[in-house]
Amino acid sequence: EAFQQQDFSDNMVYGVAFGVLLAMLLYNLLLSMVLRSSSYFLYSAYVFSIILYELAVSGYGSRYIWADSALMQGKAFSLFAGFSFFCAGLYVRNFLRLKKRGGWLLHLNTWITGYWLLSFLLTLFFTPLLLRKLGDPMALVTCVAALTTTIHLWRRGDVSARYFTIAWGQLILATMAV
């Protein structure tokens, strides 16, 4: 009985979280179409990738969506982790206008985003064992690099970077807490 109550509670929390993510996805996708904004589109792609990643991590994806796919059972975590970091890299590049800024910020973003794209593509065709071992350290490098980028831009007076730093910092803290 205690297990069923805990399972129900967990399902409710995940249901609310997925509902919020889906609402964010649809809202930002609508904004991207109405405003013809690449920033909203890339954010929508990032939110979509997070939904896929959370489906993989929580087990709900393997339970309800790709239950019959042996391929997805073994690759979903690595595949969607790579995809979510890739989408995050594209969003950071666009939102913080790194192409216009150039320099080390753009090169760092290009290198990291390229790594995650390669990780995603390799996971499609190969067993993700090596990528899983590299994934955690690269995830940490990616988060620190994004935080370093936003703090640097904030210190140079970029208001968007200030908001991004606060939001990204909270995301990192929340991720570490879970």
Side-chain angles (χ1 to χ4, degrees), residues 7-8 19 22 31-32 42 50 66 68-69 81 101 113-114 116 121 127 143 147 149 153 155:
D7 189 48
F8 176 78
L22 187 59
L31 284 175
S32 77
L42 290 171
I50 291 300
W66 53 79
D68 296 331
S69 173
R101 298 175 194 277
T113 304
W116 288 111
L121 293 173
T127 304
C143 290
L147 202 53
T149 298
L153 293 174
R155 294 183 75 197

Side-chain angles (χ1 to χ4, degrees), residues 22 55 68 70 74-75 83 87 94 100 125 138 152-153:
L22 187 59
L55 284 169
D68 296 331
K75 294 186 176 195
F83 183 55
C87 289
N94 182 276
K100 290 181 182 174
F125 302 106
M138 259 321 274
H152 175 77
L153 293 174

Side-chain angles (χ1 to χ4, degrees), residues 14-141:
Y14 274 106
V16 169
F18 283 122
V20 168
L21 286 169
L22 187 59
M24 288 172 56
L25 171 64
L26 295 174
Y27 176 74
N28 283 285
L29 202 53
L30 180 64
L31 284 175
S32 77
M33 289 187 289
V34 170
L35 300 174
R36 298 179 194 265
S37 169
S38 60
S39 189
Y40 284 112
F41 177 77
L42 290 171
Y43 185 70
S44 298
Y46 174 61
V47 171
F48 178 67
S49 71
I50 291 300
I51 291 171
L52 293 173
Y53 174 75
E54 286 300 325
L55 284 169
V57 169
S58 67
Y60 288 103
S62 62
R63 188 181 311 169
Y64 298 114
I65 298 174
W66 53 79
D68 296 331
S69 173
L71 180 71
M72 286 300 292
Q73 296 291 352
K75 294 186 176 195
F77 175 80
S78 295
L79 191 67
F80 297 139
F83 183 55
S84 64
F85 277 111
F86 171 70
C87 289
L90 291 178
Y91 176 67
V92 167
R93 174 186 296 248
N94 182 276
F95 184 77
L96 297 175
R97 299 171 306 281
L98 296 182
K99 267 188 166 179
K100 290 181 182 174
R101 298 175 194 277
W104 69 271
L105 297 175
L106 177 62
H107 295 303
L108 181 62
N109 176 270
T110 299
W111 184 82
I112 289 173
T113 304
Y115 169 84
W116 288 111
L117 175 61
L118 184 62
S119 173
F120 172 74
L121 293 173
L122 288 174
T123 301
L124 286 173
F125 302 106
F126 301 104
T127 304
L129 294 176
L130 175 63
L131 295 171
R132 280 191 184 159
K133 291 183 181 193
L134 295 174
D136 286 344
M138 259 321 274
L140 179 61
V141 167

